[in-house]
Amino acid sequence: MNGTVLIVVTHLLGSGHLVRAAHLARALARGGFTVTLASGGMPLRPMEGEPFAFVQLPPVRTEGVDFRNLLDEEGQPARPERMAARIAALEKLATGLRPDVVVTEHFPFGRRQLAEEFLATIAAVRAANPAALVLASVRDVLVTPKPARIAEAQDRLARLFDAVLVHGEADFLPLDRSWPVDAALAAKLLYTGYLADGAGVACHGPHPEETSLRFAPQDEGSGRAGEIVVSGGASAAALPLFQLALEAARLGPAGRRWRILVGRGVAEEAFRQLAAAAPGHAVVERARPDFQALLAGCALSISQAGYNTVLDLVAARHPAIVVPFEAGAETEQAVRAEALERAGLAACLRLSGPQPLTAAALWRAAVARIGQSVPAGGPRPDDGGRAVAAVKLLLADGVDRSRP
Protein backbone atom coordinates (compact mmCIF):
# COMPACT_ATOMS: atom_id res chain seq x y z
CA MET A 1 0.00 0.00 0.00
CA ASN A 2 1.05 3.60 -0.62
CA GLY A 3 -0.68 5.10 2.40
CA THR A 4 -4.07 6.32 3.53
CA VAL A 5 -6.14 9.05 1.88
CA LEU A 6 -9.14 10.96 3.24
CA ILE A 7 -11.27 12.84 0.66
CA VAL A 8 -13.88 15.32 1.92
CA VAL A 9 -16.62 16.61 -0.38
CA THR A 10 -20.03 18.26 -0.13
CA HIS A 11 -22.17 18.64 -3.26
CA LEU A 12 -24.99 21.16 -2.90
CA LEU A 13 -26.76 21.80 -6.22
CA GLY A 14 -25.99 18.90 -8.55
CA SER A 15 -23.90 15.79 -8.03
CA GLY A 16 -20.80 16.74 -10.04
CA HIS A 17 -18.50 17.33 -7.05
CA LEU A 18 -19.32 13.92 -5.56
CA VAL A 19 -19.00 12.18 -8.94
CA ARG A 20 -15.55 13.70 -9.45
CA ALA A 21 -14.46 12.89 -5.88
CA ALA A 22 -15.58 9.29 -6.37
CA HIS A 23 -13.59 9.05 -9.62
CA LEU A 24 -10.52 10.27 -7.73
CA ALA A 25 -11.17 7.85 -4.85
CA ARG A 26 -11.38 4.88 -7.24
CA ALA A 27 -8.21 5.93 -9.03
CA LEU A 28 -6.28 6.26 -5.78
CA ALA A 29 -7.57 2.87 -4.62
CA ARG A 30 -6.41 1.33 -7.92
CA GLY A 31 -3.05 2.97 -7.28
CA GLY A 32 -2.65 1.11 -3.99
CA PHE A 33 -3.94 3.67 -1.49
CA THR A 34 -6.44 2.94 1.27
CA VAL A 35 -9.12 5.56 0.62
CA THR A 36 -12.02 6.94 2.64
CA LEU A 37 -14.50 9.30 0.97
CA ALA A 38 -16.59 11.45 3.35
CA SER A 39 -19.61 13.08 1.69
CA GLY A 40 -21.66 15.85 3.24
CA GLY A 41 -24.24 16.30 0.48
CA MET A 42 -27.51 14.50 -0.07
CA PRO A 43 -27.14 10.71 -0.50
CA LEU A 44 -27.33 9.59 -4.12
CA ARG A 45 -27.37 5.80 -3.86
CA PRO A 46 -25.86 2.93 -1.86
CA MET A 47 -22.10 2.78 -2.13
CA GLU A 48 -21.45 -0.88 -1.47
CA GLY A 49 -18.95 -2.56 -3.74
CA GLU A 50 -16.69 0.47 -4.13
CA PRO A 51 -12.92 0.05 -3.67
CA PHE A 52 -12.99 2.80 -1.03
CA ALA A 53 -14.72 3.28 2.33
CA PHE A 54 -17.67 5.68 2.19
CA VAL A 55 -18.87 7.83 5.10
CA GLN A 56 -22.11 9.79 4.83
CA LEU A 57 -22.18 12.88 7.04
CA PRO A 58 -25.48 14.42 8.21
CA PRO A 59 -26.34 15.92 4.82
CA VAL A 60 -26.95 19.50 3.81
CA ARG A 61 -28.21 20.95 0.56
CA THR A 62 -29.29 24.25 -0.96
CA GLU A 63 -32.40 25.50 -2.70
CA GLY A 64 -31.42 26.49 -6.21
CA VAL A 65 -28.39 28.79 -6.27
CA ASP A 66 -28.89 30.17 -2.76
CA PHE A 67 -25.61 28.82 -1.43
CA ARG A 68 -25.68 31.01 1.68
CA ASN A 69 -28.50 29.10 3.37
CA LEU A 70 -27.86 25.42 4.05
CA LEU A 71 -30.87 23.13 4.42
CA ASP A 72 -31.42 19.64 5.82
CA GLU A 73 -33.19 16.74 4.07
CA GLU A 74 -36.60 18.22 4.85
CA GLY A 75 -35.75 21.62 3.41
CA GLN A 76 -35.43 23.22 6.84
CA PRO A 77 -32.46 25.39 7.82
CA ALA A 78 -29.56 23.22 8.95
CA ARG A 79 -29.40 23.59 12.72
CA PRO A 80 -26.15 24.31 14.58
CA GLU A 81 -26.34 20.83 16.12
CA ARG A 82 -26.21 19.27 12.66
CA MET A 83 -23.22 21.35 11.62
CA ALA A 84 -21.43 20.50 14.87
CA ALA A 85 -22.13 16.79 14.31
CA ARG A 86 -20.56 17.02 10.86
CA ILE A 87 -17.41 18.59 12.27
CA ALA A 88 -17.21 16.02 15.08
CA ALA A 89 -17.56 13.16 12.57
CA LEU A 90 -14.80 14.56 10.36
CA GLU A 91 -12.47 15.15 13.31
CA LYS A 92 -13.08 11.57 14.50
CA LEU A 93 -12.31 10.25 11.01
CA ALA A 94 -9.11 12.28 10.77
CA THR A 95 -7.94 11.18 14.21
CA GLY A 96 -8.73 7.52 13.60
CA LEU A 97 -7.35 7.28 10.08
CA ARG A 98 -4.22 9.40 10.58
CA PRO A 99 -4.19 9.84 6.79
CA ASP A 100 -1.05 10.44 4.81
CA VAL A 101 -3.08 12.60 2.42
CA VAL A 102 -6.21 14.69 2.92
CA VAL A 103 -8.03 16.05 -0.14
CA THR A 104 -10.65 18.81 0.08
CA GLU A 105 -12.90 18.94 -2.97
CA HIS A 106 -13.50 22.56 -4.08
CA PHE A 107 -12.27 24.13 -0.84
CA PRO A 108 -10.76 26.71 -0.34
CA PHE A 109 -11.72 28.01 -3.82
CA GLY A 110 -15.37 27.54 -2.88
CA ARG A 111 -17.60 26.10 -0.15
CA ARG A 112 -16.84 29.13 2.03
CA GLN A 113 -20.02 28.47 4.02
CA LEU A 114 -18.47 25.13 5.08
CA ALA A 115 -15.03 26.53 5.84
CA GLU A 116 -15.25 25.71 9.54
CA GLU A 117 -15.53 21.97 8.92
CA PHE A 118 -12.87 21.85 6.21
CA LEU A 119 -10.45 23.79 8.41
CA ALA A 120 -11.28 21.57 11.39
CA THR A 121 -10.57 18.48 9.29
CA ILE A 122 -7.19 19.80 8.16
CA ALA A 123 -6.29 20.72 11.75
CA ALA A 124 -7.29 17.27 13.01
CA VAL A 125 -5.29 15.57 10.26
CA ARG A 126 -2.20 17.65 11.03
CA ALA A 127 -2.57 16.90 14.74
CA ALA A 128 -2.81 13.16 14.04
CA ASN A 129 -0.10 13.10 11.36
CA PRO A 130 2.00 16.30 11.09
CA ALA A 131 3.60 15.01 7.86
CA ALA A 132 0.26 14.60 6.08
CA LEU A 133 -0.06 16.00 2.57
CA VAL A 134 -2.90 18.56 2.24
CA LEU A 135 -4.34 18.88 -1.26
CA ALA A 136 -7.17 20.82 -2.84
CA SER A 137 -9.10 19.21 -5.71
CA VAL A 138 -10.85 21.46 -8.24
CA ARG A 139 -12.50 21.23 -11.63
CA ASP A 140 -11.24 23.08 -14.70
CA VAL A 141 -13.37 26.22 -14.19
CA LEU A 142 -14.22 28.06 -10.98
CA VAL A 143 -16.75 30.75 -10.16
CA THR A 144 -14.74 33.88 -9.43
CA PRO A 145 -15.90 35.46 -6.16
CA LYS A 146 -15.38 38.97 -4.82
CA PRO A 147 -11.78 40.18 -4.33
CA ALA A 148 -11.95 39.80 -0.52
CA ARG A 149 -12.91 36.14 -0.85
CA ILE A 150 -10.19 35.53 -3.42
CA ALA A 151 -7.66 36.96 -0.97
CA GLU A 152 -9.02 34.73 1.80
CA ALA A 153 -8.74 31.64 -0.40
CA GLN A 154 -5.24 32.55 -1.56
CA ASP A 155 -4.14 33.00 2.05
CA ARG A 156 -5.48 29.56 3.02
CA LEU A 157 -3.81 27.98 0.01
CA ALA A 158 -0.47 29.53 0.97
CA ARG A 159 -0.67 28.52 4.65
CA LEU A 160 -2.36 25.14 4.58
CA PHE A 161 -2.06 23.42 1.20
CA ASP A 162 0.83 21.61 -0.42
CA ALA A 163 -0.65 21.44 -3.92
CA VAL A 164 -3.82 21.83 -5.98
CA LEU A 165 -5.04 19.03 -8.26
CA VAL A 166 -6.70 20.76 -11.22
CA HIS A 167 -8.87 18.26 -13.08
CA GLY A 168 -8.47 19.79 -16.50
CA GLU A 169 -5.93 20.64 -19.19
CA ALA A 170 -3.87 23.81 -19.17
CA ASP A 171 -3.75 23.91 -22.97
CA PHE A 172 -7.54 23.66 -23.33
CA LEU A 173 -8.89 25.68 -20.41
CA PRO A 174 -6.27 26.96 -17.94
CA LEU A 175 -7.41 27.84 -14.44
CA ASP A 176 -6.51 31.50 -14.90
CA ARG A 177 -9.47 31.87 -17.28
CA SER A 178 -11.70 31.83 -14.20
CA TRP A 179 -9.43 32.44 -11.19
CA PRO A 180 -6.48 34.80 -10.69
CA VAL A 181 -3.31 32.70 -10.61
CA ASP A 182 -0.28 34.43 -9.13
CA ALA A 183 3.24 32.98 -9.01
CA ALA A 184 2.71 31.35 -5.61
CA LEU A 185 -0.46 29.57 -6.71
CA ALA A 186 0.98 28.64 -10.10
CA ALA A 187 3.76 26.74 -8.33
CA LYS A 188 1.15 24.57 -6.59
CA LEU A 189 -1.04 23.72 -9.59
CA LEU A 190 -0.89 20.15 -10.91
CA TYR A 191 -3.07 19.52 -13.98
CA THR A 192 -4.38 15.94 -13.96
CA GLY A 193 -6.41 15.86 -17.17
CA TYR A 194 -10.19 15.65 -17.18
CA LEU A 195 -11.06 13.15 -14.49
CA ALA A 196 -13.31 10.30 -15.63
CA ASP A 197 -13.78 6.63 -14.89
CA GLY A 198 -11.79 3.81 -16.49
CA ALA A 199 -13.31 3.83 -19.98
CA GLY A 200 -12.32 7.47 -20.48
CA VAL A 201 -15.84 8.84 -20.20
CA ALA A 202 -17.65 10.53 -17.36
CA CYS A 203 -20.83 9.48 -15.68
CA HIS A 204 -23.94 11.55 -16.00
CA GLY A 205 -27.21 11.45 -14.16
CA PRO A 206 -27.57 7.79 -13.16
CA HIS A 207 -30.61 6.37 -11.42
CA PRO A 208 -30.49 6.41 -7.61
CA GLU A 209 -31.15 2.68 -7.68
CA GLU A 210 -27.71 2.14 -9.20
CA THR A 211 -25.30 0.70 -6.65
CA SER A 212 -22.40 2.85 -7.79
CA LEU A 213 -21.56 6.22 -9.24
CA ARG A 214 -20.52 4.28 -12.34
CA PHE A 215 -22.80 2.69 -14.87
CA ALA A 216 -22.49 0.58 -17.98
CA PRO A 217 -24.15 1.59 -21.26
CA GLN A 218 -26.94 -0.76 -22.29
CA ASP A 219 -27.84 -1.99 -25.76
CA GLU A 220 -30.28 0.52 -27.17
CA GLY A 221 -31.76 -1.80 -29.72
CA SER A 222 -33.27 -0.30 -32.83
CA GLY A 223 -35.42 2.76 -33.42
CA ARG A 224 -33.54 5.33 -31.35
CA ALA A 225 -30.80 6.41 -33.73
CA GLY A 226 -31.16 9.97 -34.94
CA GLU A 227 -32.82 11.31 -31.80
CA ILE A 228 -32.29 14.73 -30.32
CA VAL A 229 -31.22 14.03 -26.72
CA VAL A 230 -31.74 16.81 -24.17
CA SER A 231 -30.10 16.46 -20.77
CA GLY A 232 -29.38 18.58 -17.72
CA GLY A 233 -27.46 16.64 -15.11
CA ALA A 234 -28.87 15.61 -11.75
CA SER A 235 -30.26 18.89 -10.40
CA ALA A 236 -33.30 21.02 -11.21
CA ALA A 237 -31.12 23.71 -12.79
CA ALA A 238 -32.03 22.58 -16.31
CA LEU A 239 -35.79 23.06 -15.98
CA PRO A 240 -35.83 26.21 -18.18
CA LEU A 241 -33.84 24.33 -20.85
CA PHE A 242 -36.25 21.37 -20.74
CA GLN A 243 -39.25 23.65 -21.14
CA LEU A 244 -37.67 25.48 -24.06
CA ALA A 245 -36.67 22.20 -25.72
CA LEU A 246 -40.25 20.94 -25.60
CA GLU A 247 -41.42 24.17 -27.24
CA ALA A 248 -38.75 23.72 -29.92
CA ALA A 249 -39.80 20.10 -30.46
CA ARG A 250 -43.32 21.25 -31.37
CA LEU A 251 -41.83 23.30 -34.21
CA GLY A 252 -40.12 20.31 -35.78
CA PRO A 253 -41.39 17.34 -37.76
CA ALA A 254 -42.99 14.42 -35.95
CA GLY A 255 -40.47 12.09 -37.59
CA ARG A 256 -37.62 13.42 -35.46
CA ARG A 257 -37.90 12.17 -31.89
CA TRP A 258 -36.77 14.26 -28.94
CA ARG A 259 -35.73 12.56 -25.70
CA ILE A 260 -35.72 14.75 -22.57
CA LEU A 261 -33.69 13.24 -19.71
CA VAL A 262 -34.74 14.79 -16.39
CA GLY A 263 -32.50 14.51 -13.32
CA ARG A 264 -33.76 13.20 -9.98
CA GLY A 265 -33.26 16.65 -8.49
CA VAL A 266 -36.36 17.79 -10.40
CA ALA A 267 -39.45 17.44 -8.21
CA GLU A 268 -42.04 14.87 -9.23
CA GLU A 269 -44.70 17.52 -9.90
CA ALA A 270 -42.41 19.46 -12.24
CA PHE A 271 -41.50 16.19 -13.96
CA ARG A 272 -45.18 15.38 -14.54
CA GLN A 273 -45.77 18.86 -15.96
CA LEU A 274 -42.94 18.39 -18.44
CA ALA A 275 -44.31 15.01 -19.50
CA ALA A 276 -47.81 16.46 -19.93
CA ALA A 277 -46.45 19.27 -22.12
CA ALA A 278 -44.55 16.94 -24.47
CA PRO A 279 -45.74 16.55 -28.06
CA GLY A 280 -46.25 13.05 -29.42
CA HIS A 281 -42.74 12.76 -30.83
CA ALA A 282 -41.04 13.74 -27.55
CA VAL A 283 -40.22 11.34 -24.72
CA VAL A 284 -39.80 12.75 -21.21
CA GLU A 285 -38.16 10.37 -18.74
CA ARG A 286 -35.86 10.35 -15.77
CA ALA A 287 -32.09 10.38 -16.35
CA ARG A 288 -30.91 6.94 -17.42
CA PRO A 289 -27.84 4.86 -16.60
CA ASP A 290 -27.19 4.31 -20.33
CA PHE A 291 -26.80 8.00 -21.12
CA GLN A 292 -23.54 7.45 -22.98
CA ALA A 293 -25.18 4.85 -25.24
CA LEU A 294 -27.96 7.33 -26.03
CA LEU A 295 -25.37 9.93 -26.99
CA ALA A 296 -23.54 7.42 -29.15
CA GLY A 297 -26.64 6.98 -31.31
CA CYS A 298 -28.11 10.48 -31.29
CA ALA A 299 -28.26 12.98 -34.12
CA LEU A 300 -27.79 15.89 -31.72
CA SER A 301 -27.21 16.51 -28.03
CA ILE A 302 -28.63 19.58 -26.32
CA SER A 303 -27.37 20.04 -22.78
CA GLN A 304 -25.90 22.33 -20.22
CA ALA A 305 -22.12 22.56 -19.92
CA GLY A 306 -21.31 20.86 -16.63
CA TYR A 307 -17.96 19.13 -16.16
CA ASN A 308 -19.17 15.54 -16.54
CA THR A 309 -21.63 16.34 -19.33
CA VAL A 310 -18.87 17.91 -21.42
CA LEU A 311 -16.71 14.80 -21.07
CA ASP A 312 -19.62 12.66 -22.26
CA LEU A 313 -20.16 14.97 -25.26
CA VAL A 314 -16.51 14.94 -26.28
CA ALA A 315 -16.35 11.15 -25.95
CA ALA A 316 -19.46 10.72 -28.15
CA ARG A 317 -18.13 13.03 -30.93
CA HIS A 318 -21.65 13.87 -32.12
CA PRO A 319 -23.06 17.30 -32.95
CA ALA A 320 -23.92 19.22 -29.80
CA ILE A 321 -25.49 22.42 -28.54
CA VAL A 322 -24.60 23.61 -25.05
CA VAL A 323 -26.76 26.07 -23.13
CA PRO A 324 -24.76 26.99 -20.00
CA PHE A 325 -26.41 27.41 -16.62
CA GLU A 326 -25.96 31.06 -15.64
CA ALA A 327 -28.58 31.73 -12.94
CA GLY A 328 -27.41 33.35 -9.73
CA ALA A 329 -24.34 34.95 -11.39
CA GLU A 330 -22.87 31.49 -12.10
CA THR A 331 -20.10 31.75 -14.69
CA GLU A 332 -18.48 28.29 -14.64
CA GLN A 333 -20.52 26.65 -17.39
CA ALA A 334 -20.39 29.70 -19.66
CA VAL A 335 -16.57 29.69 -19.60
CA ARG A 336 -16.49 25.97 -20.43
CA ALA A 337 -19.18 26.29 -23.13
CA GLU A 338 -17.26 29.09 -24.84
CA ALA A 339 -14.11 26.93 -24.85
CA LEU A 340 -16.06 24.12 -26.51
CA GLU A 341 -17.37 26.50 -29.16
CA ARG A 342 -13.87 27.87 -29.85
CA ALA A 343 -12.70 24.29 -30.40
CA GLY A 344 -15.60 23.59 -32.77
CA LEU A 345 -16.98 20.89 -30.48
CA ALA A 346 -20.37 22.48 -29.79
CA ALA A 347 -22.49 25.52 -30.49
CA CYS A 348 -22.99 27.73 -27.43
CA LEU A 349 -26.40 29.36 -26.94
CA ARG A 350 -27.49 31.50 -23.98
CA LEU A 351 -30.79 31.66 -22.09
CA SER A 352 -30.00 35.16 -20.85
CA GLY A 353 -28.32 38.25 -22.23
CA PRO A 354 -29.20 40.81 -24.90
CA GLN A 355 -30.88 38.16 -27.10
CA PRO A 356 -32.24 35.38 -24.87
CA LEU A 357 -32.66 32.02 -26.55
CA THR A 358 -36.13 31.28 -27.96
CA ALA A 359 -37.71 28.01 -28.99
CA ALA A 360 -37.54 29.04 -32.65
CA ALA A 361 -33.85 29.92 -32.35
CA LEU A 362 -33.14 26.61 -30.63
CA TRP A 363 -34.92 24.71 -33.40
CA ARG A 364 -33.02 26.58 -36.12
CA ALA A 365 -29.73 25.89 -34.34
CA ALA A 366 -30.62 22.21 -34.04
CA VAL A 367 -31.37 21.95 -37.76
CA ALA A 368 -28.09 23.67 -38.59
CA ARG A 369 -26.04 21.50 -36.25
CA ILE A 370 -27.41 18.06 -37.17
CA GLY A 371 -25.10 16.34 -39.66
CA GLN A 372 -22.09 18.54 -38.97
CA SER A 373 -18.77 16.81 -38.38
CA VAL A 374 -17.10 17.14 -35.01
CA PRO A 375 -13.34 17.80 -35.06
CA ALA A 376 -10.80 15.94 -32.99
CA GLY A 377 -9.30 17.58 -29.94
CA GLY A 378 -10.80 19.08 -26.85
CA PRO A 379 -10.71 17.77 -23.28
CA ARG A 380 -8.76 14.53 -22.90
CA PRO A 381 -10.37 12.32 -20.25
CA ASP A 382 -8.00 10.62 -17.85
CA ASP A 383 -8.90 7.70 -15.60
CA GLY A 384 -7.09 9.27 -12.67
CA GLY A 385 -3.65 7.90 -13.47
CA ARG A 386 -2.09 11.35 -13.67
CA ALA A 387 -3.66 12.42 -10.39
CA VAL A 388 -2.39 9.28 -8.66
CA ALA A 389 1.10 9.79 -10.10
CA ALA A 390 1.09 13.38 -8.84
CA VAL A 391 0.12 12.32 -5.31
CA LYS A 392 2.77 9.60 -5.23
CA LEU A 393 5.42 12.01 -6.46
CA LEU A 394 4.51 14.57 -3.79
CA LEU A 395 4.72 11.91 -1.10
CA ALA A 396 8.02 10.58 -2.43
CA ASP A 397 9.53 14.05 -2.63
CA GLY A 398 8.77 14.65 1.03
CA VAL A 399 7.69 18.24 0.47
CA ASP A 400 8.35 20.69 3.30
CA ARG A 401 5.08 20.82 5.19
CA SER A 402 6.17 23.30 7.82
CA ARG A 403 3.77 26.24 7.62
CA PRO A 404 3.62 29.58 9.38
Side-chain angles (χ1 to χ4, degrees), residues 106 108-112 142-154 178-180 329 331:
H106 201 40
F109 296 90
R111 295 293 180 265
R112 185 173 181 270
L142 297 167
V143 176
T144 307
K146 296 177 181 178
R149 295 187 180 178
I150 292 174
E152 179 183 61
Q154 303 282 53
S178 57
W179 187 277
T331 57

Side-chain angles (χ1 to χ4, degrees), residues 341-359:
E341 187 168 61
R342 284 194 300 272
L345 299 171
C348 175
L349 303 178
R350 314 294 273 267
L351 286 173
S352 57
Q355 294 182 313
L357 183 62
T358 65

